[in-house]
Amino acid sequence: MKYTILAATLAASVAASPSHNHHQHHHAKKNAPNKVEKRVDVVTEVVVGPTATVYQLDGKIVNPADAKAGLADGDYVVIGETTPTYVPPPPPPPPAPSSTSTSTSSSSSAGGMKAQFIEEPSSSAAPTTTSAPPPPPSTTAQPTSSSAPPPPKSSKPAQPSPPSGGTGLNADFPSGKIPCSHFPSDYGAIPLEWLGTGGWSGLQFVPGYTAASLSISEIITGVSGQTCGDGAMCSYACPPGYQKTQWSQAQGATLQSIGGLYCNNGFLELTRPDHPKLCEPGAGGVSIQNDLDESVCTCRTDYPGIESMVIPACANAGQTIPVCNPDESTYYVWDGKSTSAQYYINKKGYGVADSCVWNSPLDPKGAGNWSPLILGVGKTAGGLTFLSIFQNLPTSTALLDFNVEITGDVNSKCSYINGVWTGGSNGCTTAMPAGGKAIVRYF
């Protein structure tokens, strides 16, 4: 399928000067076996007035209905978005959950962001609270998660269990000594067998790349059935709480992210030789606590890399697992800006092969890339960790079939309970000080 690139720009009312600048998001084309296309410039205008999303294609405005239809059908991919946020006065206490509460549809670009938060330089002062801007009015009310029908259950054979372990986390990787045909699971990497790419989380073939390259103008995304081979950047997953260390100094000529080990003449080479271990822990302090009676898979995007949501953090019923919290001081820098991690929250009971994929065979419009909610996590240079949960709009209108709240050492309430948000219409953000602990609770 041919994909067309869109840019989404959000104009929003601003109630107060932000003490933490806005998050931006971008996304690379999915499965594009050709030369990379020119990225669309995105300009954010902050004005007083209602929120509206404007889609641009090659510098021209696209009708919102046509843009949303194309996004829903997979013909368009949003690769440039800007979303101003602000620090409003402290909100009133959230309303008590009610079975009659509703949420409205919106074209807000607070959701539908497919890659990472990109942090602008910011103050270390913690805001009282931050939230996604309110959506434009809608006359069509959607049912809340409390009234949504139960998700379909797979009739297929049992799916593979989420990978666990990660032997050799503390072992230095011998650059140039391991064949590209050997997945480096004995150096901490976790194979993702359900993707059909030899265990690798993503493949990007980069003809013409050398270690001296400053930018890469041709990027061919590998697909299922291919594996790591000469001229490829071979990305990999790490255990929950850890993240990959490898990405080249050269990135896409039009701002695509590229990550992983490089396959050179049949052998795997480090792309950051000063980081010889393949996996490293994040800043810590963040966990997922699953208080449901079924498992839940929360899937991180392969970033820098193909930016597909394939890296699993699956918590069984009653289990608590760590969430990797990138420190912007040491993590990947995109276009001169620090970045953080983004996780897709899937419905309960979905296996890893139906959750940590782009297209879910079980629930094509409600899992994987179309998961109901997204979780963002990242620690700033000032020591604050920002945590956000938000609706995956406009990509998905799927409803989550359980509740989510962020608790612990955080400075404001942030939750999604019975279809009702605290702190915003389509999402909320809170902050944790250095040394604190935060729990993303599913219940």
Side-chain angles (χ1 to χ4, degrees):
M1 178 182 292
K2 182 178 179 182
Y3 286 86
T4 305
I5 296 179
L6 287 176
T9 302
L10 184 69
S13 300
V14 177
S17 298
S19 58
H20 180 70
N21 291 317
H22 64 270
H23 298 296
Q24 294 175 318
H25 305 256
H26 75 288
H27 192 265
K29 288 180 64 180
K30 175 65 177 169
N31 296 340
N34 52 10
K35 290 189 176 182
V36 295
E37 299 186 19
K38 184 176 180 181
R39 185 166 291 264
V40 183
D41 292 332
V42 181
V43 179
T44 300
E45 179 185 5
V46 180
V47 298
V48 176
T51 303
T53 303
V54 177
Y55 297 95
Q56 299 182 56
L57 176 62
D58 296 329
K60 298 180 180 179
I61 301 299
V62 178
N63 181 280
D66 294 340
K68 293 200 301 184
L71 288 167
D73 293 339
D75 294 329
Y76 293 159
V77 174
V78 176
I79 58 89
E81 297 173 299
T82 57
T83 306
T85 59
Y86 60 93
V87 183
S98 169
S99 61
T100 61
S101 60
T102 60
S103 59
T104 57
S105 61
S106 167
S107 62
S108 168
S109 64
M113 294 81 167
K114 291 294 176 295
Q116 308 302 118
F117 289 104
I118 296 169
E119 306 284 352
E120 300 286 358
S122 64
S123 165
S124 61
T128 303
T129 180
T130 60
S131 66
S138 170
T139 58
T140 304
Q142 298 178 359
T144 67
S145 59
S146 62
S147 59
K153 298 299 181 181
S154 175
S155 59
K156 299 181 303 180
Q159 296 183 356
S161 299
S164 60
T167 61
L169 279 169
N170 294 321
D172 288 351
F173 184 78
S175 185
K177 305 295 183 183
I178 304 295
C180 302
S181 59
H182 176 78
F183 183 82
S185 56
D186 40 356
Y187 293 92
I190 297 294
L192 310 184
E193 301 293 357
W194 63 91
L195 299 180
T197 50
W200 302 96
S201 58
L203 302 171
Q204 294 170 294
F205 294 90
V206 286
Y209 167 81
T210 70
S213 297
L214 297 179
S215 66
I216 301 173
S217 59
E218 187 174 5
I219 306 166
I220 303 170
T221 302
V223 297
S224 182
Q226 295 181 305
T227 189
C228 186
D230 274 342
M233 292 289 178
C234 305
S235 189
Y236 55 91
C238 292
Y242 287 78
Q243 62 193 2
K244 72 170 180 270
T245 61
Q246 299 303 302
W247 55 83
S248 68
Q249 66 172 350
Q251 293 292 293
T254 49
L255 302 181
Q256 302 82 359
S257 75
I258 299 170
L261 296 165
Y262 180 58
C263 180
N264 186 19
N265 292 322
F267 291 89
L268 295 168
E269 294 180 348
L270 294 169
T271 46
R272 296 174 77 205
D274 55 339
H275 290 73
K277 295 176 176 58
L278 296 189
C279 298
E280 65 182 6
V286 182
S287 300
I288 288 173
Q289 178 178 313
N290 182 10
D291 288 339
L292 298 165
D293 57 0
E294 295 183 81
S295 63
V296 176
C297 283
T298 307
C299 309
R300 183 176 176 175
T301 53
D302 177 34
Y303 185 78
I306 66 169
E307 302 180 17
S308 188
M309 53 299 296
V310 297
I311 299 177
C314 298
N316 293 326
Q319 187 180 20
T320 297
I321 60 172
V323 173
C324 188
N325 174 18
D327 187 332
E328 71 169 27
S329 300
T330 58
Y331 187 51
Y332 175 67
V333 174
W334 177 82
D335 194 28
K337 303 175 182 68
S338 300
T339 61
S340 56
Q342 191 157 313
Y343 299 83
Y344 284 61
I345 303 175
N346 284 267
K347 299 171 187 177
K348 63 183 179 181
Y350 282 17
V352 66
D354 281 326
S355 301
C356 297
V357 291
W358 184 281
N359 293 303
S360 172
L362 173 63
D363 191 355
K365 295 300 182 183
N369 180 54
W370 288 266
S371 299
L373 298 189
I374 296 175
L375 165 70
V377 181
K379 182 179 180 180
T380 67
L384 289 174
T385 290
F386 281 86
L387 302 100
S388 298
I389 47 175
F390 50 91
Q391 203 79 32
N392 186 10
L393 294 173
T395 299
S396 175
T397 57
L399 298 173
L400 199 63
D401 53 355
F402 56 88
N403 301 320
V404 182
E405 66 177 357
I406 301 176
T407 64
D409 302 321
V410 293
N411 69 345
S412 60
K413 291 183 177 181
C414 183
S415 65
Y416 176 77
I417 300 176
N418 296 329
V420 177
W421 292 95
T422 61
S425 298
N426 290 322
C428 55
T429 301
T430 189
M432 178 186 76
K437 302 289 183 184
I439 294 174
V440 182
R441 178 177 173 243
Y442 300 158
F443 63 103

